[in-house]
Amino acid sequence: MDEGGSRIRRRVSVRKRNRRSLGPIWAAAAELVPENVDEEQMVAGSRRRKTVGEPPVEHNDSEEDMFGGYDSFAENSFLDQVDDLEQKHMQFPEHEKCATDSATEDLYSESIHKRKANITAGDSVTTLNTGAHHNRHEDAVIEPETDLLYDVPSSQVLYFENLQNPSNELDNQFSKKRDWNLPSHQTVKDPLPPNCIEPPQRNDASSSEVQTGADVSRRKSLKDHLKSAMTENAKMQAPVFSKTKQLKETLLSEEMNVAKKTLESSSDDRGPFYSLPSKVRDLYGQLKGIENLYEWQHTCLTLSSVQERKNLIYSLPTSGGKTLVAEILMLQELLCHRKDVVMILPYVAIVQEKISGLSVFGTELGFFVEEYAGSKGKFPPIKRREKQSLYVATIEKGHSLVNSLIEMERISTLGLVVVDELHMIGEGSRGAVLEMTLAKILYTSKTTQIIGMSATLSNVEDLQEFLEAEYYTSHFRPVELKEYLKINDELYEVDSKAENGITFSRLLTYKYSDTLKKMDPDCLIALVTEVIPNYSCLVFCPTKKNCENVAEMICKFLSKDYLKHREKEKSEMISNLKSISGGNICPVLKRTIPFGIAYHHSGLTSDERKLLEEAYSTGVLCLFTCTSTLAAGVNLPARRVILRAPYVAKEFLKRSQYKQMIGRAGRAGIDTVGESILILQANDKQQVLQLINSPVENCYSHLVHEFGKGIQTLFLSLIGLKIATNLNDICHFMSGTLLGVQQKILLKGKSLSEITVESLNCLTEKGLLQKDMIYESEAEFQCNFRITKLGRASFKGMIDLAYCDILYRDLKKGLEGLVLESLLHLVYLATPYGMVSQSDPDWMIYFRQFSQLSPAEQKVAALVGVSESFIGKKASGQAIRKKVDKDIVNRLYLSFILYTLLKETNVWRVADKFNMPRGYIQHLLTGAASFSSCVLHFCEELEEFWVYEALLVELTKKLTYCVKAELIPLMEVTGVLEGRAKQLYSAGYKSLVHLANANPEVLIKTVSHLSRRQAKQIVSSAKHHHRFFRSYSGSLCGSEVRHPKFLQREEAGRNLNDLGKSHHHLSLSRCHSE
């Protein structure tokens, strides 16, 4: 009985219904209240009825009152009072004819039957229809103050409804109100007018003497009626609904249906702007000056394959407008289909540029734009209920993101994946990672659409088969491109109709002095002066050093008139370069910028590169001497593109590289024609003719390259994510990869199944997988695989399988004597293995740095196995008999660079100290930040390394920004690097909130060398990031429950930090304060 009572209490206290106003009934009840009822009880009852506006508690304790404080089976309960009221009332004569037992029972049974058929949620207008009747029953929405029975249990209301209707009125109601046009089982339920019954009057003594007995029907106990009704009510299961949630779901469902119908429409004119709000069109007009789409863009967006959400590959020449189509498709997915989107880009710089451009759209249209590049990105991504996210990621981070979504069983929330530069799927280890990512999406989610785009695709059929995609191509270019070859003093135009592919164009007649001819034998100055300073020009050079030399050579022979062109802006730019670099400026740039010329390569810092690109885009700089990386990077078009030689470093130019470089020629809306000139020597002529007439190189899978490292990494993640755990499933998965499509070409000696078995055996031997043999019979067995702890840590941390064993040993050895008196030991563990081979130490500098180490830092060197005597002998050129691991020595040297950088936080000083390019120093820092994040995820999967977790979180943050702690929030804003962050902080903008609330016009006046466009981007990005972090903190607040184990680890990490702080040497928390 107690158990049943407990269930009844839970159910009835949750289920509240709307009822019709029954004021007269309560008036009658008030008249019949015995005089001995305490006044305080009446007041308490009134208070309970006035609190119905409070939200109902969804999880009630079993000991809670059955009716939430209204009714109880205890003494002096409401039922007892009603029973006493009934007994007292039965003693008085009745002035009115009471309803008969039959009429009462009919109404009672019919009400119970209808309550079983129509179960309605309290406060909700949504009704659940049951049975074959399909009756619609709607509860009236009543204000709590106007209905005294608003929050009374349904069984009690049922009784008072019966009490209100005498038998004669019930007969009239059931005879007159029936709608005979409906089937006999359907009735119209009209509420009774509130004044149709007069409240019973108090009976006097004389009348009580006349009628000493009550009618038989009135003798039936009211308490029995109520208990019976409550029992029936308790047997029914009523679902609990939230009115707010139901309304949101209804509205969302309606919006999605409208959007779906709009997208599925076969008409070309489907809405104000391709099923998107007109606000999107306005934003493109305001921010990018795009008023109309090109014809091919309209055709592509209205393809039936796009409307049916099929996968699509499209290819157009560079500068044809491919990105705009992708952006519109992404916005459709975010705003119409309400799904998340991933955009995969090849380089960090392009990711940051895209984040900056799309943040405004996210802020205005209500979605989040999240960066996944370097060490940035949260795994798993934040799960949101209302707003969608656009994840802009590099190839590697995109792979980790997809892995995380699969593991959390959220891959279905991903509606669209856009891949820019799809041809990179055939380029080395990065291509293998891209192939893994797309193959997993195809295998695990049939609802995720994949869009791939590129300017240089050849074997499209293989890619179509792999991606199960449609293909669209066009040769459209907004600006005509003319290609030229320069041989000696003659220019030849590339003409596919000519016999050898070229036709003579003109002879260069620029007058050169003997001195100039020796300095510029290729007539480069003649070619650039035809264009600059009124138009822009790009000169691609084979090496970084050649970029700087060519820039200086051109400036040496230019007229002094070039100095006057936008002289004031160029002077301000030099000042700005000094400002963002702590008073430093490259001497080459100092000499070339006054002429409007600069070099552009990886030797520049991020701050310098961003500032130079902005100046080039606005016309302050008119010429860049650059390496081939600019062609695949940010969009910087020019009127004329000159290729200094048909080489990239020492390698001859590929067709795809050539197409990308010359594709930068011609600026839409500015130029009427674009020109490209390839300078070559006579001995390279035949090879160049073959280059310009050959097709683009084919894309081939790289999963089996580098000793099968790619395919092993793929198998480890497949088994770790439980996508495929036995041999048959893995083979089935491999048949759907690009390698599976191209196996006849790539696997000449072995079959794909043989390669699969070999790779799985190799992973088992390394201890990353464990094999289980399941025998189904004596002759049949199945081979299952499961991942080991080390294997899971490797794939979660995205650790290169060539280094996972070394990393494990280094971390294990570090536990034996982890030095926390300085940051050097942790920095060594976070130094990326992949950059060690590029290191070529200057032994004198190495020895000088080694001799300046503190005792604690020397202890770190001894622990890793590098002695001062060894470095001293190398510096003095002495022979060394003792064998020392070269990789460890080189890695420690890189650790010295990073450690010094964290202490000084000035790239220029560190570059001078180690005699290395400042761009390389920054590249090393970026790589270390990313690898530190990987090591952190590696340690999270291995409990023995719990001590590293709290330490690596802090180290990763320091390596990511490498600035003083107060500047870190400002550097979260897209486009704000160290130099700009210092300017903003000095101007009083010391937090994300300050920037988000800033006025761009005021920002321009308070921060020097800041353009209006930059100011607007910074404010917009700050607003977006502020909204993002508020959402993130809100999702954590009250919802994240940390396991005690992790709390203990964090406490241990804090203790270790405190231990380091107690020493005089550099500690984790003090490294930036110095």
Side-chain angles (χ1 to χ4, degrees):
M1 180 65 186
D2 292 341
E3 183 179 353
S6 174
R7 286 198 298 269
I8 292 173
R9 291 188 193 101
R10 274 195 217 100
R11 180 202 166 275
V12 180
S13 60
V14 173
R15 189 180 179 210
K16 313 287 186 183
R17 290 190 176 89
N18 294 326
R19 282 116 185 168
R20 298 172 305 193
S21 179
L22 296 175
I25 300 176
W26 276 111
E31 292 289 339
L32 297 175
V33 172
E35 294 179 0
N36 59 354
V37 175
D38 191 5
E39 184 177 346
E40 292 183 2
Q41 294 178 352
M42 297 293 291
V43 173
S46 175
R47 285 177 184 159
R48 283 194 298 269
R49 290 189 293 275
K50 289 181 179 181
T51 59
V52 295
E54 299 176 4
V57 181
E58 294 189 0
H59 302 285
N60 299 302
D61 190 83
S62 59
E63 298 301 323
E64 189 180 340
D65 189 359
M66 179 176 177
F67 295 110
Y70 304 110
D71 307 300
S72 171
F73 289 107
E75 188 177 2
N76 295 326
S77 67
F78 183 76
L79 282 178
D80 290 337
Q81 294 178 28
V82 173
D83 194 26
D84 294 340
L85 178 64
E86 179 198 21
Q87 297 300 330
K88 185 176 180 65
H89 180 64
M90 296 283 285
Q91 296 174 6
F92 297 108
E94 300 182 7
H95 292 289
E96 299 178 299
K97 184 178 179 180
C98 298
T100 61
D101 280 341
S102 60
T104 304
E105 288 293 328
D106 287 343
L107 178 60
Y108 175 79
S109 61
E110 183 167 342
S111 299
I112 291 296
H113 173 73
K114 289 175 180 176
R115 286 177 186 272
K116 288 181 180 179
N118 299 292
I119 300 175
T120 60
D123 298 343
S124 175
V125 296
T126 304
T127 306
L128 299 178
N129 298 326
T130 60
H133 301 292
H134 302 289
N135 292 335
R136 296 199 174 205
H137 179 73
E138 296 184 1
D139 289 343
V141 180
I142 300 172
E143 294 295 330
E145 292 80 0
T146 61
D147 187 4
L148 294 175
L149 288 183
Y150 176 79
D151 214 13
V152 177
S154 55
S155 55
Q156 297 178 20
V157 175
L158 177 64
Y159 169 73
F160 286 111
E161 287 176 351
N162 294 344
L163 181 66
Q164 187 179 12
N165 297 314
S167 60
N168 59 341
E169 291 181 5
L170 290 173
D171 291 338
N172 293 336
Q173 181 181 355
F174 282 93
S175 61
K176 295 180 182 179
K177 299 287 184 179
R178 186 177 300 276
D179 185 357
W180 298 108
N181 294 325
L182 299 174
S184 59
H185 60 270
Q186 294 182 356
T187 60
V188 178
K189 301 180 183 179
D190 289 335
L192 218 59
N195 59 352
C196 66
I197 300 178
E198 294 182 6
Q201 304 296 323
R202 183 181 295 275
N203 297 324
D204 54 16
S206 60
S207 61
S208 64
E209 292 177 0
V210 175
Q211 293 187 353
T212 58
D215 189 81
V216 178
S217 63
R218 300 298 297 162
R219 291 184 180 278
K220 185 170 182 179
S221 171
L222 170 62
K223 189 171 183 178
D224 291 340
H225 273 297
L226 291 174
K227 286 184 177 179
S228 176
M230 286 187 292
T231 302
E232 290 292 335
N233 201 13
K235 289 179 181 179
M236 294 187 292
Q237 297 182 357
V240 181
F241 294 104
S242 165
K243 179 180 179 181
T244 304
K245 183 178 179 181
Q246 279 193 330
L247 288 174
K248 285 183 178 179
E249 289 179 352
T250 304
L251 290 173
L252 181 60
S253 177
E254 291 177 359
E255 290 175 359
M256 290 181 68
N257 287 336
V258 171
K260 187 176 180 181
K261 289 177 181 178
T262 305
L263 286 174
E264 290 176 354
S265 172
S266 58
S267 171
D268 288 343
D269 185 14
R270 298 166 297 150
F273 189 71
Y274 298 95
S275 300
L276 293 168
S278 57
K279 189 174 184 180
V280 176
R281 179 181 55 204
D282 297 338
L283 284 172
Y284 272 111
Q286 295 169 8
L287 301 174
K288 299 188 177 183
I290 299 174
E291 299 294 339
N292 298 298
L293 271 63
Y294 297 130
E295 185 179 348
W296 83 264
Q297 292 172 331
H298 174 76
T299 303
C300 187
L301 287 169
T302 53
L303 288 173
S304 59
S305 56
V306 174
Q307 303 303 308
E308 296 167 7
R309 291 178 51 77
K310 293 181 180 178
N311 296 343
L312 176 70
I313 299 171
Y314 63 99
S315 176
L316 280 97
T318 303
S319 303
K322 298 184 296 297
T323 304
L324 179 59
V325 171
E327 288 181 3
I328 292 174
L329 292 174
M330 290 191 297
L331 292 174
Q332 284 181 354
E333 196 67 33
L334 290 162
L335 303 178
C336 300
H337 297 292
R338 311 292 295 176
K339 291 286 190 77
D340 295 335
V341 175
V342 172
M343 187 177 197
I344 298 177
L345 301 170
Y347 303 112
V348 176
I350 307 178
V351 169
Q352 293 172 343
E353 183 189 32
K354 187 58 64 177
I355 288 280
S356 178
L358 292 175
S359 292
V360 181
F361 286 85
T363 303
E364 295 293 329
L365 300 174
F367 61 87
F368 290 97
V369 182
E370 302 183 34
E371 180 180 350
Y372 280 76
S375 61
K376 293 187 178 180
K378 180 174 175 56
F379 300 100
I382 302 168
K383 186 177 183 180
R384 297 185 174 87
R385 295 181 180 178
E386 296 182 1
K387 295 184 178 180
Q388 277 57 53
S389 291
L390 169 58
Y391 308 108
V392 186
T394 56
I395 292 173
E396 293 76 14
K397 284 292 183 178
H399 185 217
S400 298
L401 179 61
V402 169
N403 282 345
S404 179
L405 291 173
I406 293 173
E407 184 179 23
M408 301 302 294
E409 298 182 352
R410 287 168 50 192
I411 192 65
S412 60
T413 64
L414 193 60
L416 176 65
V417 175
V418 174
V419 181
D420 194 8
E421 309 294 351
L422 182 62
H423 64 271
M424 290 195 70
I425 200 170
E427 296 184 8
S429 58
R430 302 193 77 210
V433 173
L434 182 56
E435 182 180 348
M436 295 179 210
T437 306
L438 297 177
K440 288 175 187 175
I441 294 170
L442 289 167
Y443 193 85
T444 58
S445 177
K446 302 302 181 185
T447 59
T448 303
Q449 185 182 18
I450 296 175
I451 303 290
M453 54 181 172
S454 174
T456 54
L457 285 178
S458 181
N459 54 333
V460 180
E461 296 80 7
D462 289 349
L463 294 173
Q464 278 187 265
E465 185 177 350
F466 164 48
L467 296 177
E468 302 169 7
E470 302 289 329
Y471 179 59
Y472 176 83
T473 185
S474 172
H475 299 290
F476 171 82
R477 272 188 62 92
V479 178
E480 182 187 1
L481 173 62
K482 293 184 177 181
E483 300 177 45
Y484 296 95
L485 302 180
K486 179 189 171 296
I487 306 173
N488 298 323
D489 292 337
E490 299 173 337
L491 275 183
Y492 295 86
E493 185 174 356
V494 176
D495 184 0
S496 58
K497 299 177 182 179
E499 184 177 351
N500 58 356
I502 57 175
T503 57
F504 177 79
S505 176
R506 64 188 173 98
L507 185 68
L508 292 178
T509 59
Y510 193 85
K511 293 182 180 180
Y512 268 43
S513 64
D514 293 338
T515 305
L516 182 55
K517 196 150 190 173
K518 288 180 181 179
M519 296 293 296
D520 182 23
D522 296 325
C523 300
L524 191 59
I525 295 176
L527 295 175
V528 301
T529 52
E530 291 179 347
V531 178
I532 64 171
N534 296 323
Y535 297 98
S536 57
C537 181
L538 294 175
V539 179
F540 285 99
C541 303
T543 65
K544 289 183 286 187
K545 188 62 179 174
N546 191 234
C547 289
E548 298 178 26
N549 292 338
V550 169
E552 286 201 283
M553 185 270 293
I554 293 174
C555 292
K556 190 176 294 185
F557 294 100
L558 282 181
S559 168
K560 300 298 182 183
D561 295 336
Y562 286 89
L563 295 172
K564 299 177 182 178
H565 182 74
R566 305 184 74 164
E567 183 177 5
K568 183 180 178 181
E569 291 162 283
K570 288 184 286 191
S571 178
E572 289 179 352
M573 184 185 172
I574 291 176
S575 300
N576 204 4
L577 278 172
K578 289 181 180 179
S579 175
I580 64 173
S581 302
N584 300 289
I585 187 171
C586 172
V588 176
L589 291 177
K590 188 176 181 179
R591 289 191 293 268
T592 62
I593 287 177
F595 289 91
I597 297 172
Y599 64 85
H600 186 289
H601 57 60
S602 60
L604 295 167
T605 65
S606 300
D607 286 303
E608 289 176 310
R609 192 182 306 117
K610 188 170 185 61
L611 190 60
L612 292 174
E613 289 169 356
E614 180 70 24
Y616 180 85
S617 299
T618 56
V620 176
L621 295 178
C622 56
L623 188 146
F624 267 163
T625 57
C626 50
T627 55
S628 60
T629 54
L630 185 141
V634 293
N635 186 24
L636 295 173
R639 171 67 174 268
R640 177 175 287 181
V641 171
I642 301 172
L643 280 67
R644 181 79 172 76
Y647 292 92
V648 174
K650 296 181 180 180
E651 298 290 328
F652 196 80
L653 205 60
K654 295 180 181 178
R655 174 68 176 174
S656 58
Q657 293 172 323
Y658 172 73
K659 293 288 286 185
Q660 280 190 324
M661 291 180 187
I662 68 171
R664 296 298 180 191
R667 296 175 297 175
I670 300 175
D671 300 326
T672 56
V673 66
E675 300 172 337
S676 72
I677 301 173
L678 172 57
I679 300 173
L680 66 144
Q681 305 303 318
N683 56 350
D684 290 325
K685 182 177 179 180
Q686 291 303 319
Q687 204 170 355
V688 168
L689 290 176
Q690 186 178 356
L691 169 70
I692 62 174
N693 292 312
S694 63
V696 176
E697 295 82 9
N698 289 340
C699 293
Y700 291 113
S701 172
H702 274 68
L703 285 178
V704 290
H705 287 213
E706 299 183 41
F707 306 102
K709 186 174 67 176
I711 198 171
Q712 290 179 22
T713 303
L714 174 60
F715 290 164
L716 195 64
S717 62
L718 288 180
I719 296 167
L721 295 170
K722 298 181 180 179
I723 296 174
T725 55
N726 60 64
L727 187 58
N728 291 335
D729 289 346
I730 293 172
C731 289
H732 176 61
F733 179 94
M734 290 304 299
S735 65
T737 62
L738 182 60
L739 176 61
V741 173
Q742 298 175 335
Q743 58 180 305
K744 292 181 180 179
I745 302 172
L746 301 177
L747 306 177
K748 295 180 180 178
K750 298 178 182 178
S751 66
L752 183 58
S753 58
E754 290 174 336
I755 295 290
T756 300
V757 172
E758 286 181 6
S759 300
L760 289 169
N761 288 336
C762 183
L763 289 171
T764 304
E765 291 171 3
K766 288 182 179 180
L768 302 176
L769 290 181
Q770 199 165 3
K771 187 189 299 184
D772 296 326
M773 305 297 292
I774 300 176
Y775 290 90
E776 299 176 356
S777 64
E778 292 184 2
E780 297 181 359
F781 64 90
Q782 183 172 323
C783 186
N784 287 352
F785 294 90
R786 52 192 172 91
I787 196 166
T788 63
K789 289 184 177 180
L790 179 60
R792 180 171 295 278
S794 298
F795 108 80
K796 278 293 192 68
M798 287 295 291
I799 303 297
D800 192 320
L801 296 186
Y803 305 125
C804 61
D805 290 337
I806 303 172
L807 176 61
Y808 181 83
R809 288 199 302 267
D810 286 346
L811 292 171
K812 191 78 173 175
K813 189 176 181 180
L815 289 178
E816 298 172 5
L818 186 61
V819 179
L820 291 173
E821 296 172 69
S822 86
L823 204 59
L824 181 59
H825 201 168
L826 281 173
V827 168
Y828 174 80
L829 294 173
T831 302
Y833 295 103
M835 299 189 71
V836 171
S837 59
Q838 306 170 18
S839 174
D840 185 18
D842 184 317
W843 296 107
M844 286 302 297
I845 295 175
Y846 203 161
F847 181 71
R848 192 183 307 123
Q849 292 296 317
F850 209 108
S851 61
Q852 296 173 2
L853 296 178
S854 67
E857 293 160 353
Q858 289 179 356
K859 184 179 178 182
V860 174
L863 282 171
V864 301
V866 180
S867 64
E868 186 175 4
S869 61
F870 171 82
I871 303 300
K873 289 179 181 179
K874 290 289 289 185
S876 61
Q878 298 180 28
I880 300 173
R881 295 179 182 178
K882 186 179 179 181
K883 188 177 180 180
V884 178
D885 192 329
K886 181 182 176 182
D887 288 341
I888 292 177
V889 175
N890 290 359
R891 192 179 184 213
L892 184 62
Y893 184 69
L894 295 179
S895 301
F896 281 177
I897 297 172
L898 291 168
Y899 182 51
T900 307
L901 187 59
L902 287 179
K903 288 193 293 183
E904 298 191 9
T905 69
N906 188 300
V907 174
W908 287 83
R909 284 202 294 269
V910 176
D912 289 340
K913 187 174 289 188
F914 287 89
N915 193 27
M916 302 182 82
R918 60 194 181 280
Y920 175 81
I921 299 290
Q922 198 168 61
H923 177 61
L924 173 63
L925 181 67
T926 304
S930 181
F931 186 67
S932 177
S933 176
C934 293
V935 176
L936 171 61
H937 293 305
F938 182 89
C939 292
E940 286 175 343
E941 298 301 320
L942 297 171
E943 292 190 4
E944 59 191 301
F945 296 143
W946 64 268
V947 71
Y948 289 114
E949 291 182 33
L951 301 173
L952 286 171
V953 167
E954 195 68 20
L955 178 64
T956 302
K957 188 183 296 184
K958 294 180 185 301
L959 290 170
T960 300
Y961 299 106
C962 193
V963 293
K964 292 182 179 180
E966 60 265 22
L967 298 181
I968 290 178
L970 298 178
M971 291 186 67
E972 293 286 353
V973 178
T974 305
V976 175
L977 302 175
E978 181 182 358
R980 186 68 75 194
K982 289 178 180 178
Q983 287 181 315
L984 292 168
Y985 192 85
S986 300
Y989 300 96
K990 299 185 177 182
S991 70
L992 207 58
V993 179
H994 291 161
L995 273 184
N997 294 325
N999 184 334
E1001 298 301 326
V1002 177
L1003 205 61
I1004 294 169
K1005 298 176 182 178
T1006 53
V1007 178
S1008 59
H1009 313 298
L1010 183 68
S1011 68
R1012 181 170 280 97
R1013 176 172 167 269
Q1014 288 174 317
K1016 289 181 178 179
Q1017 282 186 343
I1018 287 173
V1019 172
S1020 174
S1021 180
K1023 288 179 180 178
H1024 183 81
H1025 279 77
H1026 180 55
R1027 192 162 55 94
F1028 171 79
F1029 286 119
R1030 277 194 310 175
S1031 170
Y1032 175 46
S1033 59
S1035 66
L1036 292 180
C1037 183
S1039 62
E1040 185 179 16
V1041 180
R1042 302 297 301 276
H1043 194 278
K1045 176 180 71 174
F1046 295 108
L1047 296 176
Q1048 292 170 5
R1049 293 178 181 180
E1050 290 179 358
E1051 182 65 30
R1054 286 193 292 271
N1055 292 339
L1056 289 173
N1057 261 336
D1058 294 339
L1059 177 66
K1061 289 177 185 177
S1062 64
H1063 295 79
H1064 294 291
H1065 302 294
L1066 185 65
S1067 70
L1068 280 173
S1069 61
R1070 292 168 52 199
C1071 79
H1072 286 308
S1073 64
E1074 296 184 0

